[in-house]
Amino acid sequence: MTRTPLPPLAAVRVFEAAARYGNFTAAASELGMTQAAVSYQIKVLEDRVGASLFHRQPRGVQVTDVGARFSDRMTASLDMIADAYAEAKGTTQGMLAVSVIPTFATNFLARRLGRFQLANPDIAVRIEVSEALVDFNASGFDLGIRGGRGDWPGLTCHKIMKTAFTPMLSPALAASIGGVSRPEDLLKLPILALSDPWWRIWFEAAGVKAADVPDSSAQNFGSQVIEANAAIAGHGVVMLTPAFFQDEIELGLLTQPFDLTCDDGSAYWLTYPESRRNAPKIRSFRKWLEGEMATFDS
């Protein structure tokens, strides 16, 4: 079967970099070319496509509608070529960049990542902690670990663990009211981040009437790590995922007064672009993470 004619691959590589940066100068710097050479390659590609790929602007360029569609496909295609080349060479491309939400990063990944490095000494891992959803095409990240429903378009998503939650507090705070034996006892104590919808879900499951729960405050601590530290300091009761805080429970810093845990249908997911599913370094990390989760109390 005759293959459909391909565009000049050198021009495609230049175009992909320029679209990613939105700037010919930045693309030239990455590729070790002059800006004039970048402009020439883009012009060659536009002539072949028969349409403008960029709107030229005073401070950079912006892809046209045609350019945007072309750019997404070209980025994925170049990633696949790079991965196939690395696999053929028997290498893993050295650096694995992972964007991770805070609690998973500090209370799971940081405590275990050394085992991945020992098992894969040829892969250097770079971790960035962020709540933001990463744009894989623009950011250079290989993987993301996110909380949600796992329904992000264009991404392969592997469920790591469900998002279970239950109230936790310091033993000293519990002792200050003679102990916490009934869910209603929590209402005698400061409840941190009561505006978190997890509280409503848990109180309802525990049989506490909504009318008995005080009005929600706008207080918001952000990540579970921050809330857990506030609870350890004795400032109030917080809603946490207990699997992430087993060490704190064993050390007597936190206590989980009730076995009841709830979930809201969300989970933690390992995500990456569909085009990268066969990348050797991504396969290595995914296999390692699956093994770690098999022994993790989730």
Side-chain angles (χ1 to χ4, degrees):
M1 183 178 69
T2 303
R3 183 185 297 278
T4 301
L6 295 173
L9 295 184
V12 166
R13 185 163 172 256
V14 170
F15 162 73
E16 189 276 336
R20 182 158 32 89
Y21 284 111
N23 187 286
F24 285 4
T25 302
S29 177
E30 176 182 301
L31 299 173
M33 304 170 65
T34 65
Q35 184 176 350
V38 168
S39 297
Y40 173 76
Q41 292 290 349
I42 297 297
K43 184 65 169 60
V44 168
L45 192 57
E46 288 178 326
D47 288 344
R48 295 291 185 94
V49 172
S52 295
L53 300 175
F54 291 100
H55 296 299
R56 275 69 170 177
Q57 298 174 333
R59 296 187 178 181
V61 292
Q62 181 178 8
V63 289
T64 63
D65 290 342
V66 172
R69 292 193 297 270
F70 192 37
S71 171
D72 289 342
R73 298 288 292 273
M74 289 304 99
T75 296
S77 298
L78 290 175
D79 285 342
M80 292 177 69
I81 292 171
D83 292 337
Y85 180 57
E87 188 166 20
K89 290 175 59 181
T91 66
T92 52
Q93 293 182 278
M95 176 67 72
L96 180 72
V98 189
S99 174
V100 192
I101 53 179
T103 301
F104 196 94
T106 57
N107 285 42
F108 178 88
L109 200 56
R111 299 176 182 182
R112 295 166 174 80
L113 193 58
R115 292 201 282 266
F116 176 79
Q117 299 278 214
L118 288 173
N120 300 272
D122 55 337
I123 303 177
V125 180
R126 176 172 69 89
I127 299 294
E128 180 173 301
V129 179
S130 173
E131 293 279 8
L133 291 175
V134 63
D135 181 344
F136 289 101
N137 288 338
S139 66
F141 282 103
D142 300 293
L143 297 165
I145 295 177
R146 290 287 173 265
R149 306 280 175 171
D151 53 359
W152 299 288
L155 298 183
T156 295
C157 300
H158 299 274
K159 187 176 181 179
I160 300 173
M161 59 179 285
K162 71 177 183 179
T163 310
F165 48 85
T166 192
M168 298 176 72
L169 69 162
S170 72
L173 184 62
S176 70
I177 58 169
V180 175
S181 58
R182 302 180 306 128
E184 291 81 0
D185 291 338
L186 296 175
L187 302 178
K188 304 173 185 176
L189 296 167
I191 296 178
L192 306 184
L194 189 57
S195 59
D196 186 336
W198 286 1
W199 278 110
R200 177 186 54 78
I201 295 171
W202 191 87
F203 273 131
E204 183 177 342
V208 177
K209 297 178 182 179
D212 294 334
V213 180
D215 291 339
S216 299
S217 67
Q219 184 185 55
N220 189 339
F221 284 79
S223 73
Q224 289 192 45
V225 174
I226 297 175
E227 293 185 355
N229 281 315
I232 290 170
H235 296 315
V237 189
V238 295
M239 189 67 70
L240 302 174
T241 298
F244 288 136
F245 298 96
Q246 291 305 302
D247 289 350
E248 288 78 2
I249 292 174
E250 292 177 8
L251 290 171
L253 301 175
L254 288 173
T255 183
Q256 177 185 335
F258 306 104
D259 292 333
L260 175 66
T261 61
C262 298
D263 71 86
D264 60 357
S266 64
Y268 293 95
W269 301 83
L270 176 68
T271 67
Y272 49 87
E274 293 173 353
S275 61
R276 305 298 309 283
R277 61 187 178 278
N278 293 319
K281 60 185 177 181
I282 289 178
R283 288 206 309 264
S284 295
F285 189 86
R286 187 181 72 225
K287 182 178 179 181
W288 169 79
L289 185 58
E290 288 171 351
E292 290 293 321
M293 295 309 304
T295 61
F296 185 54
D297 182 13
S298 60

